PDB file of all heavy atoms in Angstrom:
ATOM      1  N   ALA A 247       8.315  67.977 -53.448  1.00 95.00           N
ATOM      2  CA  ALA A 247       8.537  66.932 -54.457  1.00 95.00           C
ATOM      3  C   ALA A 247       7.218  66.538 -55.120  1.00 95.00           C
ATOM      4  O   ALA A 247       7.147  66.348 -56.336  1.00 95.00           O
ATOM      5  CB  ALA A 247       9.201  65.712 -53.821  1.00 95.00           C
ATOM      6  N   ILE A 248       6.165  66.436 -54.312  1.00 93.00           N
ATOM      7  CA  ILE A 248       4.850  66.072 -54.862  1.00 93.00           C
ATOM      8  C   ILE A 248       4.346  67.161 -55.789  1.00 93.00           C
ATOM      9  O   ILE A 248       3.890  66.898 -56.914  1.00 93.00           O
ATOM     10  CB  ILE A 248       3.829  65.796 -53.733  1.00 93.00           C
ATOM     11  CG1 ILE A 248       4.177  64.498 -53.006  1.00 93.00           C
ATOM     12  CG2 ILE A 248       2.412  65.728 -54.292  1.00 93.00           C
ATOM     13  CD1 ILE A 248       3.352  64.223 -51.783  1.00 93.00           C
ATOM     14  N   ARG A 249       4.492  68.414 -55.343  1.00 92.00           N
ATOM     15  CA  ARG A 249       3.988  69.513 -56.186  1.00 92.00           C
ATOM     16  C   ARG A 249       4.760  69.579 -57.493  1.00 92.00           C
ATOM     17  O   ARG A 249       4.178  69.748 -58.564  1.00 92.00           O
ATOM     18  CB  ARG A 249       4.090  70.843 -55.437  1.00 92.00           C
ATOM     19  CG  ARG A 249       3.023  71.007 -54.380  1.00 92.00           C
ATOM     20  CD  ARG A 249       3.014  72.394 -53.789  1.00 92.00           C
ATOM     21  NE  ARG A 249       2.566  72.313 -52.409  1.00 92.00           N
ATOM     22  CZ  ARG A 249       3.326  72.506 -51.334  1.00 92.00           C
ATOM     23  NH1 ARG A 249       4.597  72.831 -51.470  1.00 92.00           N
ATOM     24  NH2 ARG A 249       2.814  72.389 -50.126  1.00 92.00           N
ATOM     25  N   ASP A 250       6.071  69.431 -57.400  1.00 90.00           N
ATOM     26  CA  ASP A 250       6.891  69.454 -58.615  1.00 90.00           C
ATOM     27  C   ASP A 250       6.491  68.342 -59.567  1.00 90.00           C
ATOM     28  O   ASP A 250       6.545  68.503 -60.786  1.00 90.00           O
ATOM     29  CB  ASP A 250       8.381  69.252 -58.273  1.00 90.00           C
ATOM     30  CG  ASP A 250       9.010  70.536 -57.758  1.00 90.00           C
ATOM     31  OD1 ASP A 250       8.300  71.553 -57.677  1.00 90.00           O
ATOM     32  OD2 ASP A 250      10.220  70.491 -57.450  1.00 90.00           O
ATOM     33  N   ALA A 251       6.101  67.213 -58.981  1.00 84.00           N
ATOM     34  CA  ALA A 251       5.842  66.042 -59.815  1.00 84.00           C
ATOM     35  C   ALA A 251       4.449  66.033 -60.408  1.00 84.00           C
ATOM     36  O   ALA A 251       4.085  65.110 -61.127  1.00 84.00           O
ATOM     37  CB  ALA A 251       6.054  64.787 -58.986  1.00 84.00           C
ATOM     38  N   ASN A 252       3.662  67.055 -60.078  1.00 79.00           N
ATOM     39  CA  ASN A 252       2.286  67.061 -60.593  1.00 79.00           C
ATOM     40  C   ASN A 252       2.218  67.050 -62.111  1.00 79.00           C
ATOM     41  O   ASN A 252       1.252  66.588 -62.695  1.00 79.00           O
ATOM     42  CB  ASN A 252       1.494  68.244 -60.021  1.00 79.00           C
ATOM     43  CG  ASN A 252       1.047  67.969 -58.601  1.00 79.00           C
ATOM     44  OD1 ASN A 252       1.138  66.841 -58.141  1.00 79.00           O
ATOM     45  ND2 ASN A 252       0.567  68.995 -57.910  1.00 79.00           N
ATOM     46  N   GLN A 253       3.284  67.563 -62.767  1.00 81.00           N
ATOM     47  CA  GLN A 253       3.310  67.464 -64.232  1.00 81.00           C
ATOM     48  C   GLN A 253       3.537  66.019 -64.672  1.00 81.00           C
ATOM     49  O   GLN A 253       2.984  65.571 -65.658  1.00 81.00           O
ATOM     50  CB  GLN A 253       4.441  68.326 -64.823  1.00 81.00           C
ATOM     51  CG  GLN A 253       4.126  69.810 -64.916  1.00 81.00           C
ATOM     52  CD  GLN A 253       4.231  70.486 -63.557  1.00 81.00           C
ATOM     53  OE1 GLN A 253       5.032  70.072 -62.751  1.00 81.00           O
ATOM     54  NE2 GLN A 253       3.429  71.515 -63.345  1.00 81.00           N
ATOM     55  N   SER A 254       4.371  65.313 -63.919  1.00 86.00           N
ATOM     56  CA  SER A 254       4.697  63.945 -64.328  1.00 86.00           C
ATOM     57  C   SER A 254       3.508  63.005 -64.184  1.00 86.00           C
ATOM     58  O   SER A 254       3.297  62.108 -64.993  1.00 86.00           O
ATOM     59  CB  SER A 254       5.843  63.390 -63.483  1.00 86.00           C
ATOM     60  OG  SER A 254       6.829  64.351 -63.273  1.00 86.00           O
ATOM     61  N   TRP A 255       2.773  63.178 -63.109  1.00 91.00           N
ATOM     62  CA  TRP A 255       1.663  62.264 -62.855  1.00 91.00           C
ATOM     63  C   TRP A 255       0.356  63.031 -62.890  1.00 91.00           C
ATOM     64  O   TRP A 255       0.053  63.803 -61.995  1.00 91.00           O
ATOM     65  CB  TRP A 255       1.813  61.633 -61.469  1.00 91.00           C
ATOM     66  CG  TRP A 255       2.969  60.693 -61.312  1.00 91.00           C
ATOM     67  CD1 TRP A 255       3.176  59.553 -62.029  1.00 91.00           C
ATOM     68  CD2 TRP A 255       4.027  60.780 -60.348  1.00 91.00           C
ATOM     69  NE1 TRP A 255       4.322  58.919 -61.586  1.00 91.00           N
ATOM     70  CE2 TRP A 255       4.860  59.656 -60.542  1.00 91.00           C
ATOM     71  CE3 TRP A 255       4.363  61.683 -59.344  1.00 91.00           C
ATOM     72  CZ2 TRP A 255       6.003  59.406 -59.773  1.00 91.00           C
ATOM     73  CZ3 TRP A 255       5.492  61.447 -58.567  1.00 91.00           C
ATOM     74  CH2 TRP A 255       6.303  60.311 -58.795  1.00 91.00           C
ATOM     75  N   SER A 256      -0.406  62.793 -63.945  1.00 88.00           N
ATOM     76  CA  SER A 256      -1.657  63.543 -64.049  1.00 88.00           C
ATOM     77  C   SER A 256      -2.738  62.952 -63.139  1.00 88.00           C
ATOM     78  O   SER A 256      -3.644  63.638 -62.719  1.00 88.00           O
ATOM     79  CB  SER A 256      -2.140  63.550 -65.498  1.00 88.00           C
ATOM     80  OG  SER A 256      -2.215  62.211 -65.955  1.00 88.00           O
ATOM     81  N   ARG A 257      -2.570  61.671 -62.838  1.00 92.00           N
ATOM     82  CA  ARG A 257      -3.560  61.047 -61.960  1.00 92.00           C
ATOM     83  C   ARG A 257      -2.912  60.803 -60.603  1.00 92.00           C
ATOM     84  O   ARG A 257      -1.862  60.164 -60.512  1.00 92.00           O
ATOM     85  CB  ARG A 257      -4.057  59.735 -62.578  1.00 92.00           C
ATOM     86  CG  ARG A 257      -5.007  59.994 -63.736  1.00 92.00           C
ATOM     87  CD  ARG A 257      -5.253  58.769 -64.565  1.00 92.00           C
ATOM     88  NE  ARG A 257      -4.067  58.362 -65.314  1.00 92.00           N
ATOM     89  CZ  ARG A 257      -4.055  57.393 -66.210  1.00 92.00           C
ATOM     90  NH1 ARG A 257      -5.156  56.718 -66.460  1.00 92.00           N
ATOM     91  NH2 ARG A 257      -2.944  57.067 -66.831  1.00 92.00           N
ATOM     92  N   ARG A 258      -3.560  61.327 -59.550  1.00 94.00           N
ATOM     93  CA  ARG A 258      -2.957  61.254 -58.221  1.00 94.00           C
ATOM     94  C   ARG A 258      -4.050  61.027 -57.188  1.00 94.00           C
ATOM     95  O   ARG A 258      -5.165  61.532 -57.336  1.00 94.00           O
ATOM     96  CB  ARG A 258      -2.235  62.565 -57.882  1.00 94.00           C
ATOM     97  CG  ARG A 258      -1.161  62.966 -58.893  1.00 94.00           C
ATOM     98  CD  ARG A 258      -0.531  64.297 -58.517  1.00 94.00           C
ATOM     99  NE  ARG A 258      -1.488  65.392 -58.471  1.00 94.00           N
ATOM    100  CZ  ARG A 258      -1.880  66.099 -59.523  1.00 94.00           C
ATOM    101  NH1 ARG A 258      -1.412  65.822 -60.734  1.00 94.00           N
ATOM    102  NH2 ARG A 258      -2.738  67.087 -59.383  1.00 94.00           N
ATOM    103  N   ARG A 259      -3.724  60.276 -56.147  1.00 96.00           N
ATOM    104  CA  ARG A 259      -4.724  60.031 -55.087  1.00 96.00           C
ATOM    105  C   ARG A 259      -4.013  59.754 -53.776  1.00 96.00           C
ATOM    106  O   ARG A 259      -2.947  59.146 -53.753  1.00 96.00           O
ATOM    107  CB  ARG A 259      -5.588  58.812 -55.469  1.00 96.00           C
ATOM    108  CG  ARG A 259      -6.979  58.820 -54.880  1.00 96.00           C
ATOM    109  CD  ARG A 259      -7.864  59.875 -55.513  1.00 96.00           C
ATOM    110  NE  ARG A 259      -9.103  60.009 -54.767  1.00 96.00           N
ATOM    111  CZ  ARG A 259     -10.253  59.412 -55.080  1.00 96.00           C
ATOM    112  NH1 ARG A 259     -10.328  58.638 -56.154  1.00 96.00           N
ATOM    113  NH2 ARG A 259     -11.312  59.585 -54.329  1.00 96.00           N
ATOM    114  N   LEU A 260      -4.630  60.205 -52.690  1.00 97.00           N
ATOM    115  CA  LEU A 260      -4.129  59.890 -51.351  1.00 97.00           C
ATOM    116  C   LEU A 260      -5.046  58.839 -50.721  1.00 97.00           C
ATOM    117  O   LEU A 260      -6.271  58.993 -50.742  1.00 97.00           O
ATOM    118  CB  LEU A 260      -4.106  61.137 -50.458  1.00 97.00           C
ATOM    119  CG  LEU A 260      -3.831  60.910 -48.966  1.00 97.00           C
ATOM    120  CD1 LEU A 260      -2.411  60.399 -48.742  1.00 97.00           C
ATOM    121  CD2 LEU A 260      -4.053  62.192 -48.153  1.00 97.00           C
ATOM    122  N   ILE A 261      -4.436  57.776 -50.179  1.00 98.00           N
ATOM    123  CA  ILE A 261      -5.196  56.750 -49.464  1.00 98.00           C
ATOM    124  C   ILE A 261      -4.689  56.719 -48.024  1.00 98.00           C
ATOM    125  O   ILE A 261      -3.490  56.548 -47.791  1.00 98.00           O
ATOM    126  CB  ILE A 261      -4.963  55.349 -50.067  1.00 98.00           C
ATOM    127  CG1 ILE A 261      -5.315  55.336 -51.559  1.00 98.00           C
ATOM    128  CG2 ILE A 261      -5.776  54.294 -49.315  1.00 98.00           C
ATOM    129  CD1 ILE A 261      -4.851  54.065 -52.269  1.00 98.00           C
ATOM    130  N   VAL A 262      -5.592  56.879 -47.076  1.00 98.00           N
ATOM    131  CA  VAL A 262      -5.186  56.742 -45.677  1.00 98.00           C
ATOM    132  C   VAL A 262      -5.709  55.400 -45.165  1.00 98.00           C
ATOM    133  O   VAL A 262      -6.901  55.225 -44.962  1.00 98.00           O
ATOM    134  CB  VAL A 262      -5.736  57.891 -44.796  1.00 98.00           C
ATOM    135  CG1 VAL A 262      -5.252  57.722 -43.352  1.00 98.00           C
ATOM    136  CG2 VAL A 262      -5.310  59.245 -45.347  1.00 98.00           C
TER     137      VAL A 262
END
Side-chain angles (χ1 to χ4, degrees):
Chain A
I248 290 173
R249 284 188 211 110
D250 281 0
N252 282 348
Q253 281 77 32
S254 319
W255 292 300
S256 54
R257 285 166 291 187
R258 303 178 300 276
R259 207 71 190 263
L260 170 66
I261 303 169
V262 182

